[in-house]
Amino acid sequence: MAAKPLNENQLEDAKRLRSVFELRKNEDPSLSQERLAYACGWKTQGTVNQYMHGKIPLNLNAVQKFAEALRVSIEEISPDLSKQIVSLAKSLPKQGGITERSELLAMGTRRIPLVSYAQAVEIIEVNDLYFLGDVSEHLLTDLDLGTKAFALQIKGDSMLPDFKEGDRIVIDPEVEPLPGDFVVAKSGHEEATFKKYRPTGRIDSNGNVIFDLVPLNADYAPMHSDVVPLRIIGTMIEHRRYRKK
């Protein structure tokens, strides 16, 4: 039996999906349908190709995977499916269905990966969010962030009292830090470091701004870019503090 032809809205969904894919590919030429299939959890690129070219219609599960992998909202791919999610969430009972309602409503927002300190360094080393290894958790946000935005969970006490271990921060590598901003940086070690950014007003022989990375905890010493090789990974956009049980 021949497959049922897609309707006009479903074909427009496929067109938008192709457009988002091409936009991301222009930003990262190494992106392919194979990589996108891998990021979505599919074995081959055939499924991706069929969705993109209107051979099979997008559904809620598929559009969520595409939105997460391409780092866009579901609405940017399929306004109709986004509305279905909201409608379905509202139809669930407020009592006993709160979790389901919240999860469905959250599907229309941007999801960013929660990475380890080591993976944060990989982001600038390989310039790729698709092959960071295991990323088992994501944060939801409606912020207008760059395509390589990620989240990090604070560890250690070097940024006390403002940042406690277990707090989470949202980092955007596409935002240049200003004096006093908080940044994640590579410090010559395998893992990243999170500190306050303080430019010195001096320039090195290569024309680079000399800056310090300053811990808020006075028990720790500042780091100086003219002494230790430092490279800014990204600037903090949001700080989320979680109540400890």
Side-chain angles (χ1 to χ4, degrees), residues 117-118 152-159 164-167 191-192:
Y117 277 65
L152 193 70
Q153 184 163 306
I154 299 295
K155 65 178 184 179
D157 60 357
S158 68
M159 294 298 283
K164 298 180 179 180
E165 186 160 26
D167 287 359
E191 293 192 348

Side-chain angles (χ1 to χ4, degrees), residues 2 8 15 22 31 64 74 82 88 91 96 112 117-118 127-128 146 148 154 172 177 190 197 206-207 210 228 241:
E8 184 177 347
K15 182 178 179 180
E22 291 301 326
L31 178 60
Q64 182 184 11
I74 288 176
S82 180
L88 181 59
S91 70
I112 57 174
Y117 277 65
N127 195 30
D128 191 342
K148 298 178 179 64
I154 299 295
D172 193 339
E190 292 184 358
Y197 174 75
N206 295 318
I210 298 174
V228 178
R241 173 167 290 179

Side-chain angles (χ1 to χ4, degrees), residues 207-224:
N208 299 314
V209 174
I210 298 174
F211 61 90
D212 299 334
L213 295 181
V214 185
L216 299 183
N217 186 339
D219 290 338
Y220 293 82
M223 306 171 73
H224 312 284

Side-chain angles (χ1 to χ4, degrees), residues 42-242:
W42 296 316
K43 293 182 178 179
T44 69
Q45 61 86 30
T47 302
V48 171
N49 188 274
Q50 290 187 67
Y51 280 124
M52 280 191 180
H53 291 89
K55 303 300 181 182
I56 53 177
L58 284 167
N59 54 45
L60 294 182
N61 181 55
V63 76
Q64 182 184 11
K65 289 180 178 180
F66 278 125
E68 180 180 334
L70 294 169
R71 301 183 294 282
V72 296
S73 68
I74 288 176
E75 186 175 12
E76 290 178 71
I77 299 175
S78 175
D80 284 347
L81 290 175
S82 180
K83 290 177 183 178
Q84 286 184 36
I85 291 169
V86 174
S87 177
L88 181 59
K90 290 181 178 179
S91 70
L92 290 173
K94 293 184 179 181
Q95 298 296 330
I98 295 177
T99 300
E100 292 86 347
R101 285 168 58 89
S102 300
E103 288 178 350
L104 282 168
L105 289 170
M107 284 172 65
T109 64
R110 169 90 176 269
R111 304 216 305 172
I112 57 174
L114 178 66
V115 307
S116 68
Y117 277 65
Q119 288 173 322
V121 171
E122 291 182 40
I123 288 173
I124 60 169
E125 294 297 333
V126 301
N127 195 30
D128 191 342
L129 285 179
Y130 290 90
F131 292 103
L132 284 176
D134 293 331
V135 177
S136 59
E137 190 171 354
H138 292 75
L139 265 61
L140 297 168
T141 180
D142 57 2
L143 295 174
D144 183 14
L145 300 171
T147 59
K148 298 178 179 64
F150 64 93
L152 193 70
Q153 184 163 306
I154 299 295
K155 65 178 184 179
D157 60 357
S158 68
M159 294 298 283
L160 288 175
D162 291 7
F163 299 89
K164 298 180 179 180
E165 186 160 26
D167 287 359
R168 292 175 176 179
I169 52 176
V170 175
I171 303 295
D172 193 339
E174 298 179 28
V175 174
E176 292 291 330
L178 298 174
D181 280 348
F182 296 99
V183 300
V184 172
K186 181 183 178 182
S187 61
H189 303 293
E190 292 184 358
E191 293 192 348
T193 185
F194 175 62
K195 298 290 185 288
K196 186 176 182 179
Y197 174 75
R198 184 174 65 191
T200 64
R202 296 181 289 121
I203 305 295
D204 66 18
S205 58
N206 295 318
N208 299 314
V209 174
I210 298 174
F211 61 90
D212 299 334
L213 295 181
V214 185
L216 299 183
N217 186 339
D219 290 338
Y220 293 82
M223 306 171 73
H224 312 284
S225 67
D226 57 344
V227 176
V228 178
L230 298 173
R231 182 178 176 185
I232 302 297
I233 296 173
T235 303
M236 187 190 79
I237 304 300
E238 182 183 359
H239 172 206
R240 300 184 184 183
R241 173 167 290 179
Y242 294 83

